[in-house]
Amino acid sequence: MSETSRSLNFIEHIIEEDLSKGFPENKLRFRFPPEPNGYLHIGHASSICLNFGLGLKYEAPVNLRFDDTNPSKEEQEYVDAIKRDVSWLGFEWDTECYASDYFQQLYDWAIILIKQGKAYVDSQSSEDIALQKGTPTEPGKASPFRNRSVEENLQLFEDMKDGKFKEGEHVLRAKIDMASSNMLMRDPIMYRILHKPHHRTNTDWCIYPMYDWTHGESDYIEQVSHSFCTMEFAMHRELYDWFLDQVVKETKVRPKQREFARRNFSHTVVSKRKLLKLVESGVVTGWNDPRMPTISGLRRRGYTPESIKAFANTIGIAKRDNVVDVSLLEFHVREHLNKIAPRVMAVLNPLKLVITNYPEDQEEWLEAENNPEDEAAGSRKVPFSKELYIEQEDFREEANRKFFRLKLGGEVRLKNGYIIKAESCTKDTNGNIIEVQCTYDPKSKSGSGTEESLRKVKGTLHWVSVKHAIQAEVRLYDRLFTEETPDTHQEKDFMDFINPDSLKVINAFLEPSLASAEVGEKFQFQRMGYFNVDKDSTPEKLVFNRTVGLRDTWAKLQVKN
RNA sequence: UGGCCUAUGGUGUAAUUGGCAACACAGCUGGUUUUGGUCCAGUCGUUCUAGGUUCGAGUCCUAGUAGGCCAACCA
C-alpha cells in the first residue's frame, strides 16, 4: 500500500491541519520520552512507531528523551535497554536527550517564577498538603505558606537546593488556583527534596523537578512541535500549557500536547509496575523472558522488527479504550516469518517408525526445499534411513477419513521421501504405542518423477532419522495469563490469573543441518511452527524457543468434536 | 454528587470532513497444495439510546446511557 493512499489517523489530521494553517513543515519535531524505570513493551512500540513514523513521513527529527526526574526508580540499565530496543526496531533518533540535562535551566526558570510571585515554598507535610487539596467536588484550601515573601521563598528554595533540609521538609509549589475543577491546577508541586544519587547527575542535585514542570519545558527546550502522550495525561494539558505560558517566547515554537489511547493487549499486562512484579516475583526469568510482552521479550521469542512495525501500523492510533487481540500480533509474525524462515524438520514428540523393507545399513540424503515461498533459498540434503522418528500425534491405530495422517493399513508420504504404509505397531505394558512398523514403496521417492512418486496420498508427515538426529531443548510458550484481561477485575489481582503452563520444556529431535544454527536464527519446523535459537543455546546444547505455532485448522476441528 | 475523555462488526482501525459504512484480524464454507502451513474464492456481521437540524447524519445540536481517567513530594 502506498503511503499517499493510506488514510490518516487523528494525530496526522492534527499535523496536517497545523501545516495548512501555516505551521512551517521544517519546524516539525517529535520525541519519544520514556522514563528509564523499566523495559519497553509492545504498547511503547506503538508510541515509538507513531513518533518515529511521523519523523520519517515528514522528514522531521525525532529525539529520544529520557524522562529521568525520579532517581529513586530510574537506572542506567533501563536506559541501555531502551536504546537497544528502539534501535532494534530500526529507528534512528536525532538527539539523545535527558530531562536531567535541563535541571539547571529548569531551576533558573523556577527562580523567575518565584520572583514573579507564581511559585512558593510550602513547608507542610505531604499529608497536610493532600488534605488541603480538596476533592473533585470540593475546592482546596490555601496553604498557610502560600503568601510567603519572595525573599523568603528565594532563600528557602536556595537552601533546599543546597541540601540544608531533609527529604519532605519543603517543596516548591506553583501558585495557580486551589479552587480549580482540575485537581492538577491546585498549586501543583514543582520540586521535592530527594537525597538520592541520580544515574547521570549523581549528587549534583538534591531537589528534583516533577513531571509536569519538566515535560513541557523539555519539549520547549528541544523545540518539539508536537508532543504526544497517552490519555491519562489529558488533564495535565492545562498545566502543561500554564507552565509553557511562563517561559515561551513568540519567536520560538510552542509545543502542543495531544493525547492518544494507550494500547491494551489480551492475555497479558502492559504496565511497567506490573511487569516489574512479574520479574521480581520470579514468575518469569527477567524482563526479556520470551513470555513477556516487552520488546526484548518478543525479540528473544523470535519476533522480528518488521512484524512488530506492521502490527503497530495495522492497529493504528485512536482515543478510545481498547483491547487488542494477540492473534493480530501473531498474524504479523507468521506473515513475516513465512517469507523468511527456512523450513526444517524437527520432531517434538517422538514415536519410532521402522521401515521393515528398507535395507538395514542403507542411508540416503534426500533433497529438501528450504522455503517454498522463496526460490532463492535453495535446498539442502536430509538423511533418511530405516529407523525414523515421527510425531506421536501423527499415528493412530484406527481413525476416520478426516484423519489425514498415518493409521494401520493406511498410506502417507514422508516429506521429501517415500510413501509408506503402516503395517503394525507395538505397545508397552501400559498399552502405549512405542513403535510403528511400516513398509515403503521404493519407487515413490520424492522428485524422482516416476509414476509412483506422483501418486497422491492425503497426508504428508515430517520425520527425522533416528541415527542422524540431533537433540535440542525446545521451549514451548503459552499465554502468560489465563484471562483475557487479567488486570481489569476489581476483586482479583492480576497475579491470580497467571497461567501455570505458560512454559513447557521438552527434548526434541532435529535434522542434522540444525547443528550449526546460531543464536537468533529463525526456522519453521515444518507443520509445527516457527522457532528461533535462544541465547541460552550453546554448540553442545541447542535451545530453541517456539515463537508461534502455525495456523492449525486440524486443531480447530479437534476442539469442535 | 464535580471535571476531562471516549462510544462504528467478535477484535483493532477507516470513511474524500454532511453524500452508497470500508480495510485488516478472528470465525465459517469451499478450492489448490509433498507443511491440515502458504495461496485463492466465497460468507457472516456494525454506526450506544431517544429526540432534533437537513433533500440527506457515523459525522452537526440536545438529553440520556455506558466505559475510562483525575484527590502520588510517580511518570
Side-chain angles (χ1 to χ4, degrees):
Chain A
M1 179 144 41
S2 76
E3 196 63 32
T4 47
S5 71
R6 216 191 80 226
S7 57
L8 305 180
N9 61 46
F10 85 97
I11 295 280
E12 291 166 323
H13 279 295
I14 288 169
I15 293 171
E16 288 297 328
E17 197 184 324
D18 287 342
L19 254 22
S20 70
K21 281 185 192 155
F23 187 89
E25 187 162 346
N26 62 10
K27 289 270 175 76
L28 248 23
R29 184 181 275 271
F30 311 101
R31 108 263 93 118
F32 173 62
E35 181 191 10
N37 66 341
Y39 279 53
L40 261 23
H41 55 67
I42 181 72
H44 293 113
S46 255
S47 173
I48 291 168
C49 290
L50 170 70
N51 286 293
F52 284 94
L54 253 16
L56 256 20
K57 175 173 176 175
Y58 293 103
E59 294 179 38
V62 184
N63 289 346
L64 173 62
R65 181 170 75 233
F66 292 95
D67 226 332
D68 55 350
T69 57
N70 186 358
S72 54
K73 284 186 182 171
E74 297 150 6
E75 295 171 24
Q76 187 62 38
E77 181 206 341
Y78 297 133
V79 170
D80 298 337
I82 288 166
K83 287 166 65 176
R84 200 184 309 131
D85 289 345
V86 174
S87 297
W88 177 74
L89 281 173
F91 294 113
E92 284 177 38
W93 52 84
D94 182 72
T95 311
E96 180 178 329
C97 309
Y98 295 82
S100 54
D101 290 343
Y102 315 136
F103 282 174
Q104 185 61 49
Q105 172 70 80
L106 256 10
Y107 178 80
D108 294 342
W109 274 331
I111 301 279
I112 293 173
L113 258 65
I114 293 173
K115 287 180 176 164
Q116 294 173 337
K118 288 174 175 169
Y120 62 96
V121 172
D122 197 340
S123 308
Q124 302 180 93
S125 68
S126 64
E127 293 76 18
D128 287 341
I129 290 175
L131 246 35
Q132 286 165 1
K133 202 146 200 189
T135 69
T137 49
E138 312 158 32
K141 287 198 288 281
S143 162
F145 299 99
R146 198 170 199 258
N147 291 314
R148 275 219 253 240
S149 71
V150 168
E151 292 66 32
E152 195 183 355
N153 281 323
L154 249 17
Q155 187 59 52
L156 249 16
F157 189 49
E158 190 176 330
D159 290 346
M160 281 169 66
K161 188 195 78 158
D162 291 342
K164 297 189 180 166
F165 302 117
K166 293 198 285 282
E167 288 185 15
E169 272 189 78
H170 307 278
V171 290
L172 184 73
R173 289 228 257 171
K175 193 192 280 190
I176 308 181
D177 177 8
M178 290 306 289
S180 172
S181 60
N182 183 351
M183 303 284 292
L184 292 160
M185 300 299 279
R186 324 245 260 225
D187 289 10
I189 292 168
M190 294 172 68
Y191 277 94
R192 76 287 213 192
I193 299 168
L194 244 34
H195 290 287
K196 299 224 168 53
H198 183 279
H199 65 101
R200 300 197 90 228
T201 61
N202 200 3
T203 53
D204 291 355
W205 296 86
C206 63
I207 54 170
Y208 290 92
M210 300 289 288
Y211 166 84
D212 289 297
W213 170 234
T214 310
H215 204 91
E217 318 308 281
S218 300
D219 286 337
Y220 179 62
I221 291 167
E222 291 172 24
Q223 284 291 280
V224 165
S225 60
H226 297 261
S227 178
F228 301 113
C229 59
T230 44
M231 294 293 288
E232 59 267 33
F233 292 98
M235 296 295 290
H236 293 246
R237 189 151 109 199
E238 191 180 357
L239 184 51
Y240 179 99
D241 285 331
W242 190 91
F243 278 136
L244 240 29
D245 285 339
Q246 314 310 315
V247 304
V248 282
K249 300 219 164 41
E250 59 275 17
T251 52
K252 302 186 87 179
V253 171
R254 182 194 169 102
K256 174 189 261 193
Q257 173 183 308
R258 286 298 179 272
E259 310 82 19
F260 61 90
R262 51 170 279 186
R263 289 299 173 182
N264 300 299
F265 299 90
S266 66
H267 302 284
T268 191
V269 293
V270 275
S271 125
K272 280 191 272 189
R273 203 201 93 235
K274 288 169 187 159
L275 294 174
L276 213 213
K277 188 164 179 191
L278 291 172
V279 172
E280 288 180 336
S281 64
V283 168
V284 295
T285 57
W287 286 96
N288 68 346
D289 187 295
R291 291 165 292 179
M292 291 283 271
T294 51
I295 294 175
S296 344
L298 292 168
R299 171 169 62 233
R300 189 170 167 193
R301 177 86 169 245
Y303 277 72
T304 59
E306 290 87 342
S307 61
I308 292 174
K309 286 190 279 192
F311 168 73
N313 280 332
T314 302
I315 62 176
I317 205 88
K319 295 182 83 164
R320 54 178 163 171
D321 291 333
N322 57 81
V323 181
V324 182
D325 201 297
V326 282
S327 66
L328 193 49
L329 218 205
E330 292 178 343
F331 163 79
H332 284 285
V333 229
R334 288 197 189 102
E335 186 184 46
H336 188 218
L337 259 18
N338 177 50
K339 291 200 189 83
I340 64 162
R343 317 288 137 123
V344 293
M345 293 197 284
V347 173
L348 269 29
N349 262 311
L351 172 61
K352 198 186 232 182
L353 180 79
V354 178
I355 306 169
T356 54
N357 60 339
Y358 195 85
E360 192 76 41
D361 299 319
Q362 184 170 320
E363 68 175 54
E364 293 176 78
W365 286 76
L366 305 170
E367 192 81 12
E369 195 179 16
N370 284 331
N371 189 347
E373 304 297 314
D374 177 12
E375 234 169 88
S379 63
R380 69 188 185 287
K381 301 280 193 183
V382 283
F384 186 85
S385 66
K386 186 182 179 77
E387 295 190 345
L388 310 173
Y389 287 128
I390 61 170
E391 297 289 342
Q392 283 176 24
E393 301 77 55
D394 284 343
F395 175 76
R396 284 185 193 171
E397 284 182 276
E398 293 175 27
N400 63 23
R401 272 192 303 285
K402 286 276 180 66
F403 187 76
F404 301 161
R405 308 177 181 192
L406 192 61
K407 56 190 171 194
L408 253 25
E411 282 187 322
V412 93
R413 173 172 293 279
L414 293 176
K415 179 83 183 169
N416 306 311
Y418 298 93
I419 294 174
I420 59 165
K421 181 177 185 181
E423 308 286 357
S424 57
C425 64
T426 52
K427 299 178 183 173
D428 65 14
T429 49
N430 296 319
N432 300 314
I433 298 166
I434 53 168
E435 186 185 292
V436 177
Q437 296 85 34
C438 68
T439 52
Y440 85 119
D441 175 359
K443 295 197 184 110
S444 66
K445 184 170 172 177
S446 288
S448 63
T450 63
E451 194 180 319
E452 291 83 349
S453 74
L454 267 16
R455 267 178 61 214
K456 298 286 177 198
V457 286
K458 194 61 191 169
T460 301
L461 308 185
H462 64 280
W463 50 272
V464 104
S465 165
V466 170
K467 135 170 92 175
H468 302 89
I470 55 173
Q471 296 190 39
E473 177 177 321
V474 172
R475 299 174 180 170
L476 304 172
Y477 303 103
D478 198 354
R479 30 197 58 155
L480 241 191
F481 294 92
T482 54
E483 271 282 311
E484 186 172 290
T485 53
D487 52 356
T488 57
H489 299 260
Q490 295 100 316
E491 280 143 48
K492 286 193 169 178
D493 187 71
F494 73 100
M495 296 293 276
D496 296 341
F497 298 110
I498 287 171
N499 177 5
D501 303 314
S502 62
L503 170 62
K504 200 173 145 197
V505 180
I506 61 169
N507 181 47
F509 294 83
L510 323 176
E511 64 168 74
S513 72
L514 253 7
S516 56
E518 285 171 22
V519 172
E521 248 190 294
K522 297 165 175 63
F523 300 93
Q524 184 197 97
F525 288 0
Q526 279 181 118
R527 304 209 302 136
M528 294 284 103
Y530 295 100
F531 295 75
N532 81 332
V533 183
D534 189 77
K535 67 177 187 64
D536 290 347
S537 201
T538 63
E540 294 72 40
K541 193 197 180 194
L542 287 169
V543 179
F544 284 85
N545 296 312
R546 180 174 64 193
T547 308
V548 65
L550 257 26
R551 198 165 148 262
D552 193 347
T553 43
W554 169 241
K556 280 175 204 156
L557 277 174
Q558 303 257 278
V559 170
K560 270 197 269 183
N561 299 333

